[in-house]
Amino acid sequence: MTMETLILVSLCVGAAAGVRLRVFVLFPLIFLGLVVVTAWGLAQNQTVWSIIVMNFVGSACLQLGYLAGMVPGFLVVTARQSRRERPQPVRPLLHRQPL
């Protein structure tokens, strides 16, 4: 697995998790990523430092992808709340009836 592939996959998985799931899923997802990347590095006969760097980059990209996936949903919720809280302008009465 090249570093570019790891970065792209981690960003996409993190973004998908950010759109659909809560933040508590990020910790098991990072742990699963560490296990998969370590197993892949050992199977490819990588050096220990290479595996450590790939684990660090993979977990950082998962977090950045999660953050990028959460931003659009946060903006939509914020826009809905501001629209709900903003008072609607009241039209002045054009003609008053005399009493």
Side-chain angles (χ1 to χ4, degrees):
M1 179 183 313
T2 64
M3 191 66 76
E4 294 85 11
T5 305
L6 175 66
I7 290 170
L8 185 63
V9 168
S10 296
L11 283 172
C12 290
V13 169
V19 169
R20 300 292 297 166
L21 302 170
R22 302 256 182 206
V23 72
F24 299 115
V25 78
L26 194 57
F27 299 114
L29 198 60
I30 289 173
F31 180 73
L32 180 65
L34 291 176
V35 170
V36 168
V37 169
T38 302
W40 185 270
L42 291 174
Q44 295 294 320
N45 203 17
Q46 298 284 331
T47 63
V48 173
W49 289 110
S50 176
I51 294 173
I52 291 172
V53 168
M54 285 184 4
N55 279 325
F56 178 74
V57 169
S59 63
C61 287
L62 272 172
Q63 294 174 29
L64 288 174
Y66 186 86
L67 181 66
M70 276 183 47
V71 168
F74 178 74
L75 292 177
V76 167
V77 168
T78 305
R80 285 182 183 166
Q81 284 180 351
S82 68
R83 190 177 325 144
R84 195 177 318 147
E85 291 172 359
R86 188 176 357 155
Q88 297 295 325
V90 179
R91 291 177 145 187
L93 294 174
L94 295 176
H95 302 285
R96 287 208 166 181
Q97 301 289 337
L99 294 176

